[in-house]
Amino acid sequence: MTFQTEFEFTLPKGYVDNEGNLLKKGIMRLATAADEILPLKDPRVQANPPYLTVILLSRVITKLGDLPVIDTKVIESLFASDFSYLQDFYNRINDSGSANIRATCPKCEHNFEVEPYSQGE
């Protein structure tokens, strides 16, 4: 059994690049301690603590479409719903080690996992 460190995702709306292409598919890796600690020294985070999420996502997203680099400008340009989706995705894979969503049946209270639904798939 191998330990999974990278997870594929599909953005709900998608990122529009400089040429007008819509990019939806990407890969996020598990965060390291350095990913969470080093951005705390960044002046942008010290001036605006919520900016930590922007830097953190730019560090752990390793692929988005065919973009050569995913930096803070890319993350800042995401639609709010995609930004929120990525925050949730980050928390899921780093907390449970799985991209799946935990659910409970309201009738029998059975716990199970489901793969997240993405529009257009």
Side-chain angles (χ1 to χ4, degrees):
M1 180 177 202
T2 60
F3 180 65
Q4 185 174 359
T5 60
E6 292 187 325
F7 299 84
E8 294 181 5
F9 63 83
T10 302
L11 295 174
K13 290 200 180 355
Y15 171 78
V16 180
D17 70 9
N18 292 335
E19 287 80 42
N21 299 311
L22 184 65
L23 309 175
K24 295 183 87 167
K25 295 197 177 285
I27 297 174
M28 183 183 295
R29 66 171 173 77
L30 290 177
T32 64
D35 290 324
E36 294 199 352
I37 294 169
L38 294 177
L40 296 173
K41 298 177 183 178
D42 190 295
R44 296 170 294 182
V45 173
Q46 291 176 351
N48 182 12
Y51 197 77
L52 173 64
T53 304
V54 173
I55 295 175
L56 190 53
L57 289 175
S58 73
R59 292 175 64 105
V60 298
I61 296 173
T62 59
K63 184 170 178 57
L64 182 56
D66 58 0
L67 289 177
V69 175
I70 293 91
D71 58 16
T72 56
K73 298 291 184 211
V74 170
I75 304 302
E76 290 172 0
S77 299
L78 291 170
F79 294 110
S81 60
D82 289 335
F83 184 73
S84 177
Y85 169 85
L86 289 170
Q87 286 179 295
D88 181 56
F89 190 80
Y90 173 91
N91 288 329
R92 277 200 321 268
I93 68 170
N94 284 286
D95 289 346
S96 70
S98 171
N100 293 340
I101 298 169
R102 292 183 189 147
T104 303
C105 175
K107 291 186 179 183
C108 70
E109 297 184 5
H110 173 74
N111 294 317
F112 58 97
E113 289 188 359
V114 294
E115 291 184 30
Y117 170 77
S118 295
Q119 291 179 325
E121 287 194 331

